[in-house]
Amino acid sequence: MLVDLGYEARPLDFPWLMLPDNHHHDAGDDNEAYHNQDLKCFFSLYTHQIHCLELPEAYEKTVCGSSSGWLILRHETTSAVTLLNPLNRAQIALPQLSSSPFYDQDPLPVLHKAILSSDPCRYPFDYKVLAIFGQKRRLICYKARDRTWTMIQDAGVHYEDIISVGNELLATDEVGRLVSCNLDGDWFWFPPNVEEISDPFFFKGGKVYLVGIEGELVILIRFVQENFSFGQETYDFEVYRYDSMESIWEPISNLGSWTILLGHNQSTAIEARQFKGLIKPNCIYFTDDSLEEDSLLVGHDSGVFSMEEGKVEPLRCFSHDFMYVWPRPVWYMPSFA
């Protein structure tokens, strides 16, 4: 199903999954659609329809974040970073990463993951872009109206996920260390203050995520194994909630009516009961967000993990038959103010 740019989005149409470019054929038999490089196709988990939007602004750009109704894009051959709202094609050009003093000092100067603190349409002079950057996966930030990016030097290295809560950045590294950073103030005179909330609490490997559920902070550990056909595959998750009174992480085995969406998007929890059985509760919907950039064997590690059954089912809304899945699928949620 092709949807024009006048498509009127409704909250229950979402979440959408942005599909790889080689899935244009799923939109129908339209030969023009199949060969149009400017089309980006999105699958609705609620309606099971595919919406194809003409987005030339996204051509030759990699999605490194999906947050507050915007895609965060980096150009594949330059250091340009752009915010794009796919529903109305609004764009915001951010300072090039190469304008930052830390850029040339990094042997792998790319954004791995980025989120927004708020919707730039609602807060055009008071939003921030928070990101994991470079070979050592450091934390960097851009504040609206700044001329460059700032590295949060005191935060350390090897970060896996970031979320924004109010005026604070929360981030976790590969061993579960949790830090907070107050993003207010003038960074020219006073660098962001970093506070360690919890010590590392595991050394299990896997990828780590943060998400908020009903005011509680939840951490997820994703376990992957080698797949000789398609690089890697996820086989298990562990989930913990943070007990702020005891300053410990407690394991949880049930998400109740909640469903979690993971990947290059800002980690998000939604109430499945709103979706009339079309989205499974007590599950984790995940997409491939490995750090591997150049391998052909990327993009395939997507699926649905059932907390109750402890097993993974395929995410059937796109084909895994292609060897090269690019760009990798990413969840998209609009900002309905």
Side-chain angles (χ1 to χ4, degrees):
M1 176 180 178
L2 288 177
V3 180
D4 63 22
L5 295 177
Y7 169 71
E8 183 178 349
R10 298 180 299 275
L12 285 183
D13 284 351
F14 298 88
W16 279 4
L17 183 67
M18 183 175 171
L19 300 175
D21 287 346
N22 48 18
H23 285 67
H24 288 172
H25 68 278
D26 291 338
D29 297 328
D30 191 327
N31 191 58
E32 181 180 355
Y34 185 85
H35 293 286
N36 188 345
Q37 293 181 316
D38 293 336
L39 280 186
K40 296 295 180 183
C41 294
F42 299 79
F43 177 86
S44 167
L45 279 185
Y46 180 70
T47 65
H48 284 210
Q49 292 179 319
I50 291 177
H51 307 289
C52 290
L53 308 181
E54 194 161 358
L55 297 172
E57 303 86 355
Y59 182 61
E60 291 190 336
K61 294 183 175 70
T62 298
V63 179
C64 56
S66 172
S67 178
S68 298
W70 295 73
L71 300 176
I72 304 167
L73 309 172
R74 61 175 171 86
H75 198 280
E76 293 177 2
T77 56
T78 72
S79 66
V81 182
T82 307
L83 306 182
L84 173 65
N85 186 323
L87 298 182
N88 59 19
R89 293 177 63 179
Q91 287 189 89
I92 300 174
L94 304 182
Q96 294 220 4
L97 286 166
S98 58
S99 68
S100 305
F102 54 79
Y103 182 83
D104 291 330
Q105 303 170 14
D106 199 296
L108 184 66
V110 298
L111 291 185
H112 297 296
K113 184 172 185 176
I115 66 167
L116 285 160
S117 64
S118 55
D119 183 352
C121 284
R122 298 181 62 194
Y123 303 99
F125 305 115
D126 193 30
Y127 71 90
K128 304 167 186 72
V129 184
L130 317 165
I132 298 171
F133 171 84
Q135 185 180 56
K136 293 187 176 180
R137 306 199 307 277
R138 297 179 181 270
L139 299 180
I140 64 172
C141 184
Y142 165 76
K143 292 174 68 175
R145 298 184 292 177
D146 278 3
R147 295 184 178 181
T148 188
W149 295 75
T150 298
M151 178 170 286
I152 305 176
Q153 296 283 359
D154 294 340
V157 296
H158 302 310
Y159 281 92
E160 293 279 301
D161 203 11
I162 43 178
I163 61 174
S164 175
V165 181
N167 291 323
E168 284 193 322
L169 159 70
L170 294 175
T172 185
D173 65 13
E174 61 189 8
V175 291
R177 184 174 70 105
L178 180 66
V179 301
S180 70
C181 177
N182 191 304
L183 299 175
D184 286 340
D186 187 345
W187 295 353
F188 182 81
W189 300 106
F190 303 102
N193 181 48
V194 178
E195 177 184 357
E196 185 171 289
I197 297 176
S198 71
D199 296 328
F201 78 102
F202 63 83
F203 299 91
K204 300 182 177 182
K207 193 168 177 64
V208 189
Y209 302 87
L210 282 174
V211 66
I213 302 179
E214 293 188 306
E216 291 194 320
L217 192 60
V218 174
I219 201 168
L220 303 97
I221 310 172
R222 175 177 176 175
F223 296 94
V224 300
Q225 61 190 8
E226 290 299 316
N227 179 308
F228 294 107
S229 297
F230 296 119
Q232 69 175 33
E233 62 181 356
T234 297
Y235 67 91
D236 196 11
F237 279 90
E238 289 182 4
V239 185
Y240 301 81
R241 62 172 288 274
Y242 185 64
D243 184 334
S244 58
M245 298 295 292
E246 300 291 335
S247 298
I248 59 173
W249 291 97
E250 297 180 338
I252 57 177
S253 59
N254 196 310
L255 297 172
S257 64
W258 291 91
T259 296
I260 297 177
L261 307 177
L262 299 180
H264 274 301
N265 59 295
Q266 178 167 332
S267 302
T268 302
I270 59 175
E271 277 206 275
R273 62 188 177 192
Q274 300 180 34
F275 297 89
K276 303 176 182 178
L278 295 171
I279 294 178
K280 297 179 180 179
N282 198 28
C283 287
I284 301 167
Y285 285 66
F286 61 90
T287 60
D288 193 326
D289 61 352
S290 67
L291 296 178
E292 185 66 54
E293 293 284 339
D294 300 322
S295 172
L296 291 177
L297 302 179
V298 297
H300 295 274
D301 187 21
S302 301
V304 182
F305 177 80
S306 168
M307 291 286 290
E308 180 179 2
E309 299 177 2
K311 66 179 184 179
V312 175
E313 295 182 355
L315 195 57
R316 301 186 184 279
C317 49
F318 72 96
S319 172
H320 294 258
D321 295 337
F322 297 94
M323 175 64 74
Y324 189 56
V325 178
W326 193 263
R328 287 177 277 196
V330 62
W331 300 110
Y332 171 77
M333 293 282 286
S335 177
F336 288 108

